[in-house]
Amino acid sequence: MSENVDVQNGEPNVDKYGRAESGLDPACSLGNSFDFERCLTSGPLAADLRLAVGLDKVLRRLGQELRRNGTKSGCRGTQADRIGTFISHDWGSRGSLKFMSLLLIFNSRAAAVIAVSVSVTVALLEAYDVMPRKSAERLVGGRRYMTQSGEASLCGLVAYLFILCFWQRILSLCGRSASVFLDKLCIDQENEEQKERAILGLAGFLDISDRLLILWSPNYFDRLWCTYELASWLRLSGMKDTTVMPIHIAPALFAITFSLWSSIIIFIYAPTIRGYFLWSDVRRSGSDLLTFDVVSGVAGLLCAIVGGVILPTHLSRHLANSLRLLPQQLERFSIRETNCFCCSHHHVHPETKKHLPCDRQLIFKMLLQWQQDFTGSAESVATLEAFDFRIRQKLEPWVLRHIGGAHVPFRMLLATSCVPLMCSTIDYIPAMIELGGVPAFRLGLDAILQSFVLGPGVATAIMMISAAGFDCKNHVGCDLFFTLLKSTASTLVLAIIWASINIPRAILGHVGWQLAVGAVLVVPTIAIFRCCCRSAVGPSE
């Protein structure tokens, strides 16, 4: 992790709202006497504080605004009556992981739809000779067919990357970019008085927000301000319209997705590359062709194994190890023990040596005002204990149900690991139109099984195996050993899934038996994912 960490307290040397960046506590500009006057508010925000920002501004420059050490910038928020999504996160976690999580949540579905649409369009243009096409021989279901050479897959990849990165920018040009609250951009960092008023009125931002998005990291429930945001939302709406996203899921899914795409592109374009380097097969010996085929095959295999298995296994292992600690973290939750910047430094700023007012006292005082929302009575002495009880007994089951497992919702897999296989099998469309009948049915069956059984099966198998059994990451050698061990297990399971899809249909020549094999594979896949979605990561229903 690139962030500096305070060793004694185990937390980044910055508070929720960037005091270490500014070098000045907001209250200091109003004098030390302000300590006794500061208080959080939960009422409506003043009109000049009701600021929201387009998600395109949060995502630009690879999410620089999500990094704690990013360049300091003035307020870019604009006045708004409502905020679409309140982004709750801790500044100690990596900005790159939060950036990829936002891409996955907000952009991946549009990227998948447009990538598949572009691939279908290209395939149809090739089928009706509007675009020039090159045929390639493929083994499908034990039979060889002349399909297209891969332009649909390549165009799909380009469209997916472009939309994934720039979808919010495209929407902003149409005035439709998602409206979000990000503290760094929606709280004026230049005007100290405005900054102080906005921080004290933080609950007001949640009051005008339609959804809460929690970018979860292992330190989230240990941070006082993150807990206050959660308490405010819990008071306003329970956990309705809440999305919890562990920030390590996105890089694991994207690693699988782009490794699949790289392997497919290498496999499809290997003959073209061979023809470019070995420009005349007639003038080359058979050993040259064999060597090139072996090299291209090894390159595709390395892309699939390293990028598609080893890297996501490593990321999934670390996510699983963090999630193993989550039940104990919630069972022992106490808001009195959460960390805040001021208390960690004895209320003296480590750089400016100026006095820091106590944020903990402010938040505890606000919880006392919310006592009836947590206790249902007017006994103020029990408020903090009642809030802890609410987290342990009420919120814990909800959190564990949504982020406590190794499963990913099928809809999220449709937007990631399924897309490369969908786009690659769309190349079958010209052959299906030309052949028709039973051959077209076989090609369509192969496309369905590859896209909706093998695609989601890859990500699910890797994440479940990564989370299974004993694990260790306290030593570099031990960490590497378990990554390689679980990667090997994942590779074997994926080989079995691939074999179960392809070998029976290659052996069974009758189309009825092939259809039966396909049904046997699809039905359990649907059943497994229906069960997994009950404990998957995603928004509450």
Side-chain angles (χ1 to χ4, degrees):
M1 214 177 249
S2 61
E3 291 84 353
N4 296 326
V5 173
D6 182 81
V7 177
Q8 180 180 358
N9 297 286
E11 62 178 21
N13 190 24
V14 64
D15 74 343
K16 174 72 175 174
Y17 296 100
R19 290 178 182 167
E21 291 182 2
S22 65
L24 181 65
D25 184 84
C28 292
S29 61
L30 303 178
N32 292 338
S33 61
F34 190 77
D35 291 10
F36 302 100
E37 301 174 6
R38 294 177 83 222
C39 62
L40 294 170
T41 60
S42 57
L45 281 172
D48 61 331
L49 296 180
R50 288 172 170 254
L51 302 180
V53 66
L55 185 59
D56 59 301
K57 294 182 179 179
V58 177
L59 296 176
R60 68 179 184 179
R61 291 182 293 181
L62 301 177
Q64 184 173 354
E65 304 294 352
L66 296 166
R67 304 171 191 169
R68 182 179 69 85
N69 295 324
T71 56
K72 184 177 179 180
S73 57
C75 176
R76 297 194 184 96
T78 57
Q79 288 193 352
D81 293 329
R82 298 290 301 177
I83 298 173
T85 302
F86 186 104
I87 300 176
S88 179
H89 66 108
D90 76 274
W91 284 105
S93 55
R94 287 182 181 272
S96 58
L97 299 181
K98 291 182 282 190
F99 170 72
M100 286 186 279
S101 297
L102 293 176
L103 290 182
L104 179 62
I105 294 170
F106 289 96
N107 291 4
S108 62
R109 184 178 301 179
V113 171
I114 293 177
V116 172
S117 300
V118 167
S119 295
V120 170
T121 302
V122 171
L124 290 175
L125 292 175
E126 290 178 337
Y128 292 101
D129 297 323
V130 178
M131 287 180 58
R133 56 176 176 170
K134 296 180 181 179
S135 298
E137 190 178 62
R138 291 195 193 181
L139 183 65
V140 178
R143 298 174 182 270
R144 293 188 178 277
Y145 296 94
M146 297 302 295
T147 63
Q148 299 312 301
S149 59
E151 280 77 7
S153 300
L154 184 60
C155 292
L157 171 60
V158 173
Y160 188 86
L161 283 171
F162 181 80
I163 298 300
L164 184 69
C165 295
F166 300 108
W167 179 240
Q168 294 300 321
R169 180 59 179 167
I170 294 172
L171 291 179
S172 71
L173 296 177
C174 303
R176 298 181 57 190
S177 180
S179 169
V180 302
F181 172 89
L182 182 72
D183 42 24
K184 186 177 180 180
L185 297 181
C186 296
I187 295 179
D188 196 335
Q189 303 296 310
E190 302 294 336
N191 188 321
E192 294 296 339
E193 183 178 355
Q194 289 285 88
K195 180 178 178 180
E196 175 74 1
R197 291 172 58 213
I199 292 175
L200 295 179
L202 182 63
F205 288 101
L206 286 155
D207 191 29
I208 61 173
S209 298
D210 297 326
R211 180 172 71 149
L212 174 67
L213 171 60
I214 298 175
L215 299 180
W216 183 84
S217 61
N219 292 327
Y220 182 85
F221 287 104
D222 290 333
R223 301 295 299 165
L224 180 64
W225 279 104
C226 292
T227 305
Y228 175 69
E229 292 170 354
L230 186 60
S232 301
W233 188 254
L234 190 64
R235 167 182 169 268
L236 292 169
S237 62
M239 292 305 288
K240 184 180 179 182
D241 299 320
T242 305
T243 300
V244 184
M245 170 60 66
I247 58 177
H248 283 83
I249 282 185
L253 285 179
F254 285 141
I256 294 171
T257 301
F258 291 114
S259 67
L260 283 174
W261 229 314
S262 300
S263 302
I264 289 169
I265 296 298
I266 290 175
F267 174 77
I268 291 176
Y269 283 95
T272 303
I273 298 172
R274 183 179 68 179
Y276 178 81
F277 286 100
L278 307 178
W279 53 278
S280 176
D281 290 350
V282 176
R283 300 183 183 181
R284 296 287 179 175
S285 64
S287 60
D288 291 334
L289 299 177
L290 178 63
T291 300
F292 189 90
D293 290 342
V294 170
V295 170
S296 61
V298 170
L301 186 64
L302 287 176
C303 285
I305 293 179
V306 176
V309 180
I310 295 179
L311 178 59
T313 296
H314 181 75
L315 295 171
S316 299
R317 281 186 51 246
H318 284 257
L319 171 63
N321 288 328
S322 299
L323 292 177
R324 286 191 184 100
L325 301 176
L326 182 58
Q328 298 178 1
Q329 188 180 32
L330 290 172
E331 287 174 4
R332 297 196 300 260
F333 176 83
S334 174
I335 194 169
R336 290 186 174 90
E337 296 179 5
T338 52
N339 299 317
C340 63
F341 181 77
C342 58
C343 295
S344 299
H345 294 85
H346 307 290
H347 304 97
V348 176
H349 198 285
E351 296 179 1
T352 64
K353 306 304 179 183
K354 293 185 178 180
H355 172 69
L356 293 176
C358 186
D359 293 340
R360 189 182 303 275
Q361 294 179 6
L362 292 178
I363 291 176
F364 287 178
K365 183 178 179 181
M366 179 56 71
L367 290 178
L368 291 175
Q369 296 179 24
W370 294 344
Q371 57 188 337
Q372 293 184 353
D373 298 306
F374 297 119
T375 65
S377 68
E379 297 179 4
S380 60
V381 69
T383 301
L384 297 182
E385 288 76 6
F387 177 71
D388 293 343
F389 177 82
R390 182 76 174 262
I391 295 294
R392 295 170 189 166
Q393 301 298 323
K394 304 295 183 180
L395 186 62
E396 179 184 358
W398 189 95
V399 172
L400 295 180
R401 183 169 65 252
H402 285 77
I403 66 173
H407 309 297
V408 178
F410 190 75
R411 62 184 177 276
M412 197 172 285
L413 297 177
L414 285 176
T416 51
S417 62
C418 294
V419 180
L421 295 168
M422 288 183 194
C423 292
S424 68
T425 53
I426 284 172
D427 279 324
Y428 298 165
I429 289 179
M432 293 172 67
I433 294 174
E434 182 177 348
L435 297 173
V438 174
F441 175 81
R442 287 196 176 100
L443 289 171
L445 180 61
D446 183 79
I448 292 173
L449 294 179
Q450 297 289 344
S451 301
F452 301 106
V453 176
L454 181 60
V458 170
T460 302
I462 290 174
M463 290 193 168
M464 292 185 68
I465 292 174
S466 299
F470 177 76
D471 208 332
C472 174
K473 63 181 184 68
N474 296 326
H475 188 272
V476 175
C478 182
D479 192 19
L480 179 61
F481 171 76
F482 274 95
T483 294
L484 295 178
L485 180 64
K486 294 192 173 185
S487 298
T488 302
S490 298
T491 302
L492 293 175
V493 171
L494 295 178
I496 293 173
I497 296 175
W498 182 89
S500 66
I501 293 174
N502 292 277
I503 293 178
R505 292 185 303 109
I507 296 175
L508 302 172
H510 194 276
V511 68
W513 286 109
Q514 292 185 350
L515 179 60
V517 170
V520 168
L521 291 171
V522 170
V523 171
T525 301
I526 295 174
I528 289 172
F529 278 100
R530 282 182 65 87
C531 294
C532 291
C533 283
R534 297 174 184 174
S535 58
V537 180
S540 58
E541 302 297 338

